[in-house]
Amino acid sequence: MPHLAASPAAAFAGAVAGGGGGGRAGFRPLPPRASTRARASSATAGGAARTATADQQQKQPTFYDLLGISAEGSTFEDVRAAYRRMARKYHPDVSPPDAAKEHTRRFIQVQEAYETLSDPSRRTTYDRALARGVCRLAFSPAARRHDASAFYHQEQEEKSGWRTSWEGQISELKKRSTVKDAEENLSWGAQMRRRRAEQS
Amino acid sequence: MALQASVPSAFHTAPAIAHASCRRQFQLRASAASSPGAGDGKVAMRKEPATGAWKIDYSSEKPATPLLDTINHPVHMKNLSTTDLEQLAAELRVEIVHTVSKTGGHLSSSLGVVELSVALHHVFDTPEDKIIWDVGHQSYPHKILTGRRSRMHTIRKTSGLAGFPKRDESAHDAFGAGHSSTSISAALGMAVARDLQGKKNHVISVIGDGAMTAGQAYEAMNNSGYLDSNMIVVLNDNKQVSLPTATLDGPSKPVGALSKALTTLQSSTKFRRLREAAKNVTKQIGGSTHEVAAKVDEYARGMMSAPGSTLFEELGLYYIGPVDGHSLEDLVTIFEKVKSMPATGPVLIHIVTEKGKGYPPAEAAADKMHGVVKFDPTTGKQFKTKSPTLSYTQYFAESLIREAEVDDKVVAIHAAMGGGTGLNYFQKRFPERCFDVGIAEQHAVTFAAGLAAEGMKPFCAIYSSFLQRGYDQVVHDVDLQRLPVRFALDRAGLVGADGPTHCGAFDVTYMACLPNMVVMAPADEAELMHMVATASAIDDRPSCFRFPRGNGVGAVLPLNNRGTPMQVGKGRVLVGGNRVALLGYGTMVQACLKAAEALKEHGVFITVADARFCKPLDTELIRDLAAEHEILVTVEEGSIGGFGSHVAHYLSLSGLLDGPLKLRSMFLPDRYIDHGAAEDQMEEAGLTPRHIAATVLSLLGRPLEALHIK
């Protein structure tokens, strides 16, 4: 599925619009479908709005941008060095009086970035959230109290992602195990299992 | 029932006992529960309504564990529902924390596998089914669930439960463990035996990500993939690929490339991004398109399996995961499904857990409270006894740092035991000169050999019993080529609560028989520092020195903790006497000195000498002792074939045994000494000062006094 692999965001934005339009024409007007239709139509509208916010979010810097380091490959030392650089630059005590307010805001953001990126588990969760495109500047100071539940929900989502994947693996294993002991399989274990099956 | 309302129950759901005959017992329980501690309405263990997770409050006294009280054998768990199993897991956690707080032992590893243990015993039927725990320090929940709960307060104590699985202890312990990475090999052996005998039981091995760094795990997986016998390997991944799990500054970063592969497995960004986007699309489209999208998803999954799982797939194991290792529902589902399939071959289930889960002080600690002494369950603070002297390990680390300060060729190597060998201190001081190779002693030894071949001065700090793993490398790569690798053998001799799996009984034997090795042992911590300097100075051949677990005796340390090299092959006489000479090796010299003191009261004044070197022997000292005394007793804390044997062979070859000399050797008996307190083990081994003095007296023809000595 090459077109799926390439630029997922663009492809799916297009697919949303196309699917929504096609779906609306194709659905028969039954009550459950109506709600789906409503969802689909609002999805297109919402999709447009969402792409707008996505663009907006594209413009918003990530924690990595704030600190001026790369997302992959930057170690704890890089994070700390970058934080120190930024902190020295934006600390309210050393900033000129007219830029104090802006610098203070920046400083708080940089501090937040450092706190998230320096803790390995928080950093991993943040990376995953980034991957989902859910949030860029994830935690504004006002939302700090929601941190715990936000992390919790992100972790839950990730875990449910795991569940889907291992459920698939189990069904695959089930399929494989029905044909595993066919005559062609010459492994020692298969031979022993066949022999035991014949004897019982 | 009015009774239920008045009982300040420790659980949301009160037990549904309604028989009249039980009512009286219920009344008694109620009065017990309304004692001052619990009567203030404080709930110690409850289920959170929002998330369904159990919240345990450790600040009050131990809550009741009604469900766990009914479990004496895994068969009692078969009819429990998932909700009951979750309650059981919470009660198990409480039990483990409170038990280990009183006995000491391994805490957080057990806490991390509570759900796994419950799920395994719920689904499988030990002892017919075999569960093999790698290393075994996480088997406390397993022991509790298999009928040993009442004896848990004796764990790691003399004549009590062992701290690791032990076949002699219970039929549910399928295989003994203590050293790591042996579980898959053992499980494969059991699976093959089952196939040959036509049986139908299941074989499960539980191995951690740290133990996966050892080569034997791969040897076993490779073979199991080839043989294709049914078995389950549970990979317990808690992202702690090094134990005990901390440097001085915090959690140690995972060692090696394997952990990166495992993390990739858990969170492959591109893969997840794609699947998340796909999920969003199907949600928005809805309806029948969802089914099409689901099919697409299935094909995509087949093509893009999580990267990193190919490591196991290439070895021939079917990979399932990652799985939330704390979700009983997930674990039970997976185990049930895999159990029901008749021909799976080897399956690897990758579960992700958190070490110390459910006990906040452990979750927060840098080393996750891996191994603890008695502690306070409320705060997690350990009651570390204050000692006037430090441990031998610390003296070793200190003197090695001093050596490294003046000589920049000194480097240190250890095998995932930074805390245990004291090299964490070295690492802090010289971060680029300390190498943690993971649980890979064989590699550590040859790695050190490579370093030595190019002119460095490597110090390999490996426990005496763990060096057994790398013995061929010591012989073939180090000794045969005469490369100057220095071995610091910690935990030599009996080790107390860990038991025979960790006992360093054999190192004198297996090191002193090598032609080029210099073998020495210090009598106290000052001697240890001098031997570190001596080893550093020996540059033309390999050398080793051994020191025990425990604290120093209070010797006067050299200036600045920097030892001075001593003359190789020279011992010393500590106490002068007549007729009888004790020739001690290593810290046994302290026991000899105490025996000499005790014998003074019987009017016997003996000579005590410290041999210092087993190879090369101080032959001049031995000749002098043989010439001036009637009786010579060698004392060491090692097995047969060690120091005593070398002295005996020398004396016989020199003809000194043809005369009036009486020679006796005291060493560890020819059996494994069980775990217990250090004093009890020495009693059992017969190497206490009392035993030494009694031996001297009976050799002097005073057996009655020997029997009555203090």
Side-chain angles (χ1 to χ4, degrees):
Chain A
M1 316 282 157
H3 68 280
L4 275 178
S7 63
F12 288 120
V16 164
R24 209 186 305 141
F27 287 146
R28 272 177 261 126
L30 294 173
R33 299 286 182 165
S35 60
T36 322
R37 200 193 321 150
R39 207 193 316 145
S41 56
S42 69
T44 30
R50 190 170 308 119
T51 37
T53 35
D55 288 337
Q56 204 176 48
Q57 284 191 334
Q58 296 278 355
K59 295 198 186 72
Q60 257 198 349
T62 65
F63 281 159
Y64 293 106
D65 298 330
L66 268 182
L67 289 178
I69 50 180
S70 71
E72 276 104 38
S74 52
T75 63
F76 173 72
E77 300 304 323
D78 297 334
V79 172
R80 189 163 64 180
Y83 167 65
R84 289 221 180 105
R85 261 199 324 267
M86 295 292 147
R88 270 197 289 271
K89 198 164 147 199
Y90 289 123
H91 199 280
D93 293 343
V94 302
S95 56
D98 48 348
K101 194 152 181 252
E102 166 67 27
H103 277 202
T104 314
R105 196 182 61 82
R106 261 294 164 113
F107 180 73
I108 294 174
Q109 281 181 342
V110 161
Q111 179 135 35
E112 193 125 43
Y114 174 64
E115 272 170 24
T116 313
L117 295 183
S118 59
D119 179 346
S121 55
R122 284 179 70 168
R123 183 177 178 175
T124 340
T125 324
Y126 179 68
D127 287 343
R128 289 188 199 124
L130 266 190
R132 265 200 292 279
V134 165
C135 51
R136 286 303 186 108
L137 213 47
F139 313 111
S140 58
R144 207 186 281 260
R145 61 181 166 278
H146 298 303
D147 265 5
S149 61
F151 275 125
Y152 180 76
H153 284 121
Q154 275 161 12
E155 285 202 11
Q156 290 303 98
E157 276 203 51
E158 171 182 294
K159 301 238 164 111
S160 72
W162 287 356
R163 184 171 297 131
T164 334
S165 102
W166 59 251
E167 274 169 0
Q169 287 158 341
I170 295 246
S171 47
E172 173 70 32
L173 178 62
K174 207 162 185 164
K175 268 186 247 145
R176 279 199 206 180
S177 95
T178 49
V179 296
K180 197 168 173 66
D181 283 345
E183 287 302 318
E184 306 85 54
N185 188 356
L186 292 174
S187 75
W188 185 93
Q191 288 177 9
M192 300 301 289
R193 284 190 289 268
R194 275 198 293 270
R195 193 177 307 166
R196 203 176 71 214
E198 277 159 31
Q199 280 169 355
S200 59
Chain B
M1 270 178 71
L3 262 174
Q4 281 181 356
S6 62
V7 167
S9 74
F11 310 96
H12 260 311
T13 50
I17 309 169
H19 296 171
S21 56
C22 296
R23 205 169 299 173
R24 190 130 179 277
Q25 293 164 356
F26 215 94
Q27 261 174 345
L28 281 172
R29 262 181 75 185
S31 55
S34 53
S35 57
D40 57 358
K42 200 166 184 198
V43 174
M45 195 161 98
R46 61 190 157 82
K47 193 165 173 165
E48 216 145 286
T51 59
W54 280 88
K55 189 149 167 28
I56 305 168
D57 181 11
Y58 289 100
S59 58
S60 49
E61 12 173 295
K62 185 175 169 192
T65 52
L67 200 46
L68 186 58
D69 292 343
T70 66
I71 310 286
N72 224 347
H73 189 279
V75 78
H76 300 153
M77 290 171 58
K78 296 301 169 188
N79 289 329
L80 297 178
S81 65
T82 310
T83 331
D84 290 337
L85 289 175
E86 283 166 10
Q87 181 181 334
L88 180 63
E91 293 180 13
L92 249 184
R93 283 214 156 81
V94 159
E95 180 76 16
I96 291 170
V97 170
H98 279 91
T99 308
V100 178
S101 73
K102 297 199 178 65
T103 61
H106 291 102
L107 176 68
S108 48
S109 44
S110 300
L111 290 176
V113 294
V114 162
E115 281 84 6
L116 174 66
S117 314
V118 169
L120 280 173
H121 282 295
H122 174 71
V123 173
F124 295 103
D125 312 298
T126 56
E128 288 76 37
D129 288 337
K130 312 288 176 202
I131 304 180
I132 298 130
W133 299 89
D134 198 281
V135 188
H137 57 312
Q138 80 284 53
S139 61
Y140 293 21
H142 160 78
K143 293 200 177 205
I144 294 176
L145 290 173
T146 49
R148 285 167 276 184
R149 185 186 178 195
S150 53
R151 289 183 285 155
M152 281 301 285
H153 62 280
T154 64
I155 198 159
R156 294 168 65 88
K157 299 209 171 100
T158 317
S159 310
L161 292 179
F164 305 92
K166 197 166 162 192
R167 291 186 72 225
D168 296 341
E169 190 176 279
S170 161
H172 299 271
D173 287 352
F175 202 76
H179 291 192
S180 88
S181 323
T182 53
S183 60
I184 308 181
S185 303
L188 182 61
M190 293 188 187
V192 166
R194 166 204 67 199
D195 288 345
L196 286 169
Q197 292 166 4
K199 295 196 202 160
K200 291 204 171 80
N201 56 292
H202 298 271
V203 178
I204 304 108
S205 91
V206 180
I207 184 170
D209 53 329
M212 270 298 199
T213 59
Q216 189 176 356
Y218 294 95
E219 293 173 9
M221 286 195 285
N222 182 37
N223 197 202
S224 65
Y226 174 73
L227 289 176
D228 198 26
S229 189
N230 284 354
M231 76 181 215
I232 300 173
V233 176
V234 177
L235 171 56
N236 175 20
D237 184 3
N238 58 13
K239 306 184 238 0
Q240 300 278 328
V241 186
S242 199
L243 58 64
T245 54
T247 61
L248 292 176
D249 292 328
S252 49
K253 291 206 250 351
V255 163
L258 174 67
S259 54
K260 212 166 106 195
L262 288 177
T263 323
T264 321
L265 265 175
Q266 289 176 35
S267 66
S268 80
T269 322
K270 288 202 193 76
F271 182 58
R272 177 152 292 107
R273 232 183 257 171
L274 183 54
R275 304 198 68 241
E276 283 300 336
K279 244 190 347 197
N280 286 334
V281 171
T282 57
K283 273 198 212 136
Q284 289 161 26
I285 298 175
S288 58
T289 327
H290 180 74
E291 287 143 23
V292 174
K295 277 233 169 48
V296 164
D297 190 72
E298 211 189 290
Y299 290 135
R301 195 187 303 133
M303 282 176 48
M304 299 181 287
S305 59
S309 66
T310 47
L311 170 67
F312 302 109
E313 303 271 341
E314 287 298 319
L315 287 169
L317 282 81
Y318 188 84
Y319 174 86
I320 296 178
V323 183
D324 178 6
H326 294 296
S327 158
L328 267 165
E329 196 186 329
D330 289 357
L331 289 172
V332 169
T333 313
I334 296 183
F335 288 143
E336 294 274 8
K337 291 223 167 95
V338 175
K339 181 182 176 183
S340 65
M341 300 182 208
T344 58
V347 175
L348 182 125
I349 304 177
H350 178 194
I351 72 171
V352 178
T353 60
E354 194 187 329
K355 192 161 183 170
K357 170 102 177 167
Y359 185 54
E363 290 172 11
D367 69 342
K368 304 280 183 190
M369 292 179 80
H370 167 79
V372 295
V373 294
K374 301 194 177 104
F375 63 94
D376 173 19
T378 321
T379 55
K381 195 158 176 339
Q382 296 184 43
F383 302 133
K384 292 215 160 116
T385 46
K386 284 258 176 286
S387 163
T389 52
L390 301 172
S391 63
Y392 281 104
T393 311
Q394 282 166 294
Y395 290 120
F396 160 67
E398 193 57 40
S399 56
L400 188 63
I401 291 175
R402 297 279 161 264
E403 289 300 317
E405 279 170 359
V406 295
D407 189 343
D408 60 359
K409 290 201 158 48
V410 170
V411 294
I413 300 120
H414 65 95
M417 295 293 292
T421 54
L423 286 184
N424 272 347
Y425 295 99
F426 191 89
Q427 217 259 333
K428 184 154 188 178
R429 182 80 178 74
F430 299 105
E432 320 85 43
R433 286 156 71 177
C434 186
F435 299 95
D436 175 3
V437 300
I439 303 182
E441 287 78 10
Q442 302 182 351
H443 164 70
V445 173
T446 310
F447 175 61
L451 283 165
E454 290 298 305
M456 301 300 286
K457 293 192 176 184
F459 274 79
C460 242
I462 299 181
Y463 280 14
S464 160
S465 70
F466 295 161
L467 189 58
Q468 288 160 192
R469 288 201 149 184
Y471 187 54
D472 176 54
Q473 282 72 15
V474 175
V475 176
H476 177 271
D477 296 328
V478 173
D479 195 76
L480 181 56
Q481 302 181 100
R482 219 181 146 109
L483 287 170
V485 177
R486 292 88 169 151
F487 293 98
L489 301 169
D490 199 340
R491 306 301 198 267
L494 298 167
V495 293
D498 278 334
T501 53
H502 289 66
C503 170
F506 308 114
D507 60 280
V508 187
T509 308
Y510 66 66
M511 284 304 219
C513 64
L514 300 177
N516 290 323
M517 181 75 65
V518 171
V519 183
M520 42 188 175
D524 57 44
E525 57 271 35
E527 288 280 295
L528 172 60
M529 293 186 165
H530 294 307
M531 284 188 184
V532 172
T534 313
S536 189
I538 298 175
D539 233 0
D540 61 339
R541 45 168 62 186
S543 53
C544 71
F545 49 94
R546 68 180 325 227
F547 47 98
R549 186 174 199 264
N551 291 356
V553 299
V556 175
L557 299 176
L559 192 59
N560 273 345
N561 293 338
R562 174 111 199 278
T564 38
M566 52 176 89
Q567 196 181 353
V568 173
K570 278 274 161 278
R572 56 176 182 160
V573 176
L574 294 170
V575 174
N578 52 41
R579 285 192 76 194
V580 183
L582 289 181
L583 183 56
Y585 182 66
T587 45
M588 273 283 115
V589 168
Q590 305 298 330
C592 294
L593 289 170
K594 291 203 184 97
E597 280 301 312
L599 283 169
K600 279 187 190 157
E601 284 160 36
H602 292 257
V604 179
F605 297 89
I606 60 174
T607 306
V608 178
D610 170 17
R612 281 181 173 160
F613 289 85
C614 177
K615 196 173 183 122
L617 276 176
D618 187 350
T619 48
E620 199 182 315
L621 173 64
I622 296 176
R623 278 182 175 279
D624 288 345
L625 290 175
E628 291 165 21
H629 299 83
E630 293 169 30
I631 298 169
L632 178 60
V633 183
T634 67
V635 189
E636 72 192 291
E637 199 181 340
S639 68
I640 196 170
F643 175 68
S645 303
H646 281 259
V647 172
H649 283 307
Y650 171 73
L651 286 171
S652 81
L653 283 174
S654 329
L656 291 167
L657 286 182
D658 303 344
L661 180 68
K662 290 198 178 94
L663 172 70
R664 295 290 182 275
S665 290
M666 294 183 75
F667 45 85
L668 287 174
D670 194 18
R671 60 177 188 277
Y672 293 101
I673 309 277
D674 273 333
H675 62 282
E679 307 80 46
D680 296 339
Q681 285 191 320
M682 288 304 250
E683 273 294 328
E684 169 85 20
L687 289 173
T688 58
R690 189 175 59 86
H691 286 100
I692 299 172
T695 308
V696 170
L697 282 174
S698 60
L699 282 170
L700 284 172
R702 295 152 72 160
L704 226 53
E705 287 177 64
L707 283 173
H708 293 299
I709 199 163
K710 63 147 172 66

